[in-house]
Amino acid sequence: MSTLTASPETPETAPAAPARPAYRVTGRRVLASEWAKLWSLRSTWITLGLGLLFLVAFGIIAASHYKSNLDSGRHLDRDFATSTAVSLSLFGTNFAQLALGVLGVLVTAGEYSTGMIRSTLAAVPRRLPVLWSKAAVYGLVALMVATAGAFVAFLVGSRIVSGTPAAMGLGHAGVVRSLLGAGLYLGLVGVIGTALGALLRSVAGGISVLVAALMLVPGLVSLLPTSWQGDIDPYLPSHAGESVFALTHDSTTLSPSAGLLVFLAWTALALAGAAYRLLRSDV
């Protein structure tokens, strides 16, 4: 009787799991992510278009109004009597700053309202690169749009007021600096809006504070005693920003460089507050 000897079974080796690619969070990748998110929103295209429209359209309207009053022989009011092609062309800056600032608030506060901020911070656990990237990406976009709008408004407006006391060209002293300053100011307004959205985490709250800081507070300061106004008024965000792109200055306004430094300080303060809350508070 033969004995059948069974050979021991060789254990099957488990298939090796496919190696996962090693992805690292880098500043360039965070910037690329925020760039893609910014342009994927319909509100980005609409609000940037409105900001550009306000800047160009109101500048052309102001130049046309000045020209028509001058041609008809009507008396120019005080606001238009000393106007230049630069001041007329940049008349829409106050309206454009609202559109660009509101979009800045939406860039950050919008993620809190939809809950997408949790996914964003899960992908970038260190948090602060998200804030810096959002501010840098949107600030650059707002700067480019605003600068282009300022030059277009000036080129059209200067043709309208050609032959009048307000006529100026790009070669006149201070014109290019004023147009670039307007673009820089509006770009920084967008950065402040981004910081306020991250600080308050509310679209309504961020827009309210932005409008109050740029438009309501200057009106309230005008109610203070005259001796106080001279010490406070030039350092308000809107007035410091206006001195950056103003063609002429007097003793009641800051110089372009001083105004830029003051406005940069306001921008840094808003970003510092947003960074502190982002690090200290849960989402």
Side-chain angles (χ1 to χ4, degrees):
M1 186 174 184
S2 60
T3 304
L4 186 62
T5 304
S7 58
E9 296 182 357
T10 58
E12 296 182 359
T13 58
R20 297 180 61 186
Y23 292 111
R24 293 193 312 112
V25 177
T26 63
R28 183 180 62 82
R29 286 172 175 162
V30 178
L31 285 170
S33 173
E34 295 303 328
W35 178 268
K37 283 193 290 186
L38 176 66
W39 294 111
S40 66
L41 299 174
R42 185 181 303 173
S43 60
T44 299
W45 299 93
I46 295 174
T47 314
L48 284 177
L50 286 175
L52 185 61
L53 177 64
F54 291 158
L55 189 56
V56 175
F58 281 102
I60 295 175
I61 291 172
S64 300
H65 179 73
Y66 175 88
K67 176 71 170 176
S68 63
N69 282 353
L70 206 62
D71 290 343
S72 62
R74 290 196 296 266
H75 177 71
L76 293 173
D77 56 28
R78 186 176 60 181
D79 294 334
F80 281 91
T82 58
S83 295
T84 64
V86 172
S87 62
L88 292 170
S89 300
L90 298 180
F91 186 80
T93 304
N94 289 336
F95 303 95
Q97 71 181 357
L98 292 180
L100 297 177
V102 165
L103 182 56
V105 174
L106 291 173
V107 166
T108 47
E111 287 201 29
Y112 283 94
S113 61
T114 60
M116 195 170 74
I117 190 64
R118 289 189 287 270
S119 301
T120 299
L121 296 183
V124 189
R126 293 179 60 188
R127 296 194 175 192
L128 284 184
V130 173
L131 177 62
W132 307 144
S133 297
K134 286 182 182 294
V137 167
Y138 179 62
L140 178 61
V141 170
L143 170 65
M144 294 173 62
V145 170
T147 303
F151 274 90
V152 170
F154 176 78
L155 292 175
V156 177
S158 61
R159 291 180 64 87
I160 294 174
V161 300
S162 177
T164 69
M168 294 184 109
L170 286 174
H172 281 74
V175 170
V176 173
R177 190 267 307 162
S178 294
L179 299 178
L180 293 176
L184 179 58
Y185 167 69
L186 292 174
L188 290 174
V189 168
V191 174
I192 290 177
T194 304
L196 291 177
L199 175 62
L200 301 174
R201 302 183 177 183
S202 166
V203 174
I207 293 175
S208 299
V209 172
L210 179 72
V211 172
L214 296 179
M215 304 186 72
L216 298 182
V217 173
L220 294 176
V221 170
S222 65
L223 302 177
L224 296 175
T226 306
S227 59
W228 293 10
Q229 292 181 30
D231 296 330
I232 299 174
D233 202 62
Y235 301 97
L236 296 177
S238 57
H239 291 167
E242 287 174 2
S243 66
V244 175
F245 60 86
L247 192 62
T248 58
H249 299 81
D250 54 34
S251 59
T252 63
T253 61
L254 299 175
S255 65
S257 56
L260 178 59
L261 289 175
V262 171
F263 199 70
L264 285 173
W266 283 110
T267 306
L269 181 63
L271 285 172
Y276 180 82
R277 186 171 187 193
L278 188 60
L279 289 175
R280 298 294 181 180
S281 302
D282 295 331
V283 297

mmCIF file of all heavy atoms in Angstrom, residues 64-74 160 164:
data_model
loop_
_atom_site.group_PDB
_atom_site.id
_atom_site.type_symbol
_atom_site.label_atom_id
_atom_site.label_comp_id
_atom_site.label_asym_id
_atom_site.label_seq_id
_atom_site.Cartn_x
_atom_site.Cartn_y
_atom_site.Cartn_z
ATOM 1 N N SER A 64 -17.395 113.878 -19.975
ATOM 2 C CA SER A 64 -18.422 114.394 -20.885
ATOM 3 C C SER A 64 -19.224 115.517 -20.231
ATOM 4 O O SER A 64 -19.569 116.508 -20.884
ATOM 5 C CB SER A 64 -19.349 113.258 -21.318
ATOM 6 O OG SER A 64 -18.636 112.238 -21.983
ATOM 7 N N HIS A 65 -19.528 115.368 -18.952
ATOM 8 C CA HIS A 65 -20.265 116.407 -18.225
ATOM 9 C C HIS A 65 -19.447 117.702 -18.167
ATOM 10 O O HIS A 65 -19.988 118.803 -18.369
ATOM 11 C CB HIS A 65 -20.589 115.907 -16.825
ATOM 12 C CG HIS A 65 -21.316 116.902 -15.971
ATOM 13 N ND1 HIS A 65 -22.636 117.229 -16.165
ATOM 14 C CD2 HIS A 65 -20.899 117.655 -14.913
ATOM 15 C CE1 HIS A 65 -23.007 118.136 -15.279
ATOM 16 N NE2 HIS A 65 -21.969 118.410 -14.497
ATOM 17 N N TYR A 66 -18.163 117.566 -17.889
ATOM 18 C CA TYR A 66 -17.287 118.746 -17.839
ATOM 19 C C TYR A 66 -17.246 119.434 -19.201
ATOM 20 O O TYR A 66 -17.374 120.667 -19.299
ATOM 21 C CB TYR A 66 -15.892 118.305 -17.407
ATOM 22 C CG TYR A 66 -14.857 119.397 -17.439
ATOM 23 C CD1 TYR A 66 -14.668 120.226 -16.340
ATOM 24 C CD2 TYR A 66 -14.056 119.601 -18.572
ATOM 25 C CE1 TYR A 66 -13.708 121.238 -16.361
ATOM 26 C CE2 TYR A 66 -13.104 120.600 -18.597
ATOM 27 C CZ TYR A 66 -12.935 121.415 -17.492
ATOM 28 O OH TYR A 66 -11.996 122.416 -17.528
ATOM 29 N N LYS A 67 -17.084 118.668 -20.245
ATOM 30 C CA LYS A 67 -16.982 119.231 -21.594
ATOM 31 C C LYS A 67 -18.279 119.913 -22.009
ATOM 32 O O LYS A 67 -18.260 121.033 -22.571
ATOM 33 C CB LYS A 67 -16.636 118.108 -22.572
ATOM 34 C CG LYS A 67 -16.579 118.524 -24.033
ATOM 35 C CD LYS A 67 -15.386 119.374 -24.331
ATOM 36 C CE LYS A 67 -15.234 119.572 -25.841
ATOM 37 N NZ LYS A 67 -14.126 120.468 -26.181
ATOM 38 N N SER A 68 -19.415 119.271 -21.739
ATOM 39 C CA SER A 68 -20.693 119.858 -22.145
ATOM 40 C C SER A 68 -20.985 121.147 -21.391
ATOM 41 O O SER A 68 -21.486 122.118 -21.975
ATOM 42 C CB SER A 68 -21.822 118.850 -21.926
ATOM 43 O OG SER A 68 -21.956 118.541 -20.544
ATOM 44 N N ASN A 69 -20.682 121.198 -20.110
ATOM 45 C CA ASN A 69 -20.889 122.430 -19.343
ATOM 46 C C ASN A 69 -19.986 123.553 -19.846
ATOM 47 O O ASN A 69 -20.399 124.718 -19.904
ATOM 48 C CB ASN A 69 -20.623 122.181 -17.857
ATOM 49 C CG ASN A 69 -21.771 121.464 -17.171
ATOM 50 O OD1 ASN A 69 -22.831 121.264 -17.758
ATOM 51 N ND2 ASN A 69 -21.559 121.068 -15.934
ATOM 52 N N LEU A 70 -18.767 123.197 -20.202
ATOM 53 C CA LEU A 70 -17.835 124.216 -20.680
ATOM 54 C C LEU A 70 -18.263 124.753 -22.046
ATOM 55 O O LEU A 70 -18.205 125.963 -22.302
ATOM 56 C CB LEU A 70 -16.428 123.613 -20.754
ATOM 57 C CG LEU A 70 -15.247 124.577 -20.616
ATOM 58 C CD1 LEU A 70 -15.266 125.248 -19.248
ATOM 59 C CD2 LEU A 70 -13.942 123.818 -20.815
ATOM 60 N N ASP A 71 -18.711 123.862 -22.916
ATOM 61 C CA ASP A 71 -19.125 124.285 -24.256
ATOM 62 C C ASP A 71 -20.396 125.132 -24.228
ATOM 63 O O ASP A 71 -20.572 126.031 -25.059
ATOM 64 C CB ASP A 71 -19.347 123.064 -25.145
ATOM 65 C CG ASP A 71 -18.041 122.364 -25.475
ATOM 66 O OD1 ASP A 71 -16.971 122.973 -25.300
ATOM 67 O OD2 ASP A 71 -18.085 121.176 -25.890
ATOM 68 N N SER A 72 -21.293 124.824 -23.289
ATOM 69 C CA SER A 72 -22.550 125.560 -23.215
ATOM 70 C C SER A 72 -22.422 126.881 -22.460
ATOM 71 O O SER A 72 -23.374 127.661 -22.410
ATOM 72 C CB SER A 72 -23.626 124.699 -22.548
ATOM 73 O OG SER A 72 -23.257 124.384 -21.220
ATOM 74 N N GLY A 73 -21.276 127.124 -21.863
ATOM 75 C CA GLY A 73 -21.058 128.363 -21.142
ATOM 76 C C GLY A 73 -21.652 128.388 -19.749
ATOM 77 O O GLY A 73 -21.664 129.444 -19.109
ATOM 78 N N ARG A 74 -22.141 127.239 -19.282
ATOM 79 C CA ARG A 74 -22.704 127.190 -17.936
ATOM 80 C C ARG A 74 -21.595 127.265 -16.896
ATOM 81 O O ARG A 74 -20.474 126.825 -17.122
ATOM 82 C CB ARG A 74 -23.538 125.911 -17.740
ATOM 83 C CG ARG A 74 -24.830 125.906 -18.539
ATOM 84 C CD ARG A 74 -25.782 124.830 -18.013
ATOM 85 N NE ARG A 74 -25.230 123.502 -18.206
ATOM 86 C CZ ARG A 74 -25.503 122.745 -19.270
ATOM 87 N NH1 ARG A 74 -26.275 123.209 -20.230
ATOM 88 N NH2 ARG A 74 -24.990 121.541 -19.371
ATOM 89 N N ILE A 160 -11.870 113.394 -24.745
ATOM 90 C CA ILE A 160 -13.114 114.154 -24.618
ATOM 91 C C ILE A 160 -12.829 115.590 -24.198
ATOM 92 O O ILE A 160 -13.427 116.541 -24.714
ATOM 93 C CB ILE A 160 -14.056 113.461 -23.615
ATOM 94 C CG1 ILE A 160 -14.505 112.102 -24.162
ATOM 95 C CG2 ILE A 160 -15.272 114.336 -23.312
ATOM 96 C CD1 ILE A 160 -15.329 111.292 -23.182
ATOM 97 N N THR A 164 -9.548 121.828 -23.653
ATOM 98 C CA THR A 164 -10.104 122.522 -22.496
ATOM 99 C C THR A 164 -9.004 122.725 -21.456
ATOM 100 O O THR A 164 -7.911 122.140 -21.563
ATOM 101 C CB THR A 164 -11.250 121.706 -21.873
ATOM 102 O OG1 THR A 164 -10.706 120.523 -21.269
ATOM 103 C CG2 THR A 164 -12.274 121.308 -22.923
#
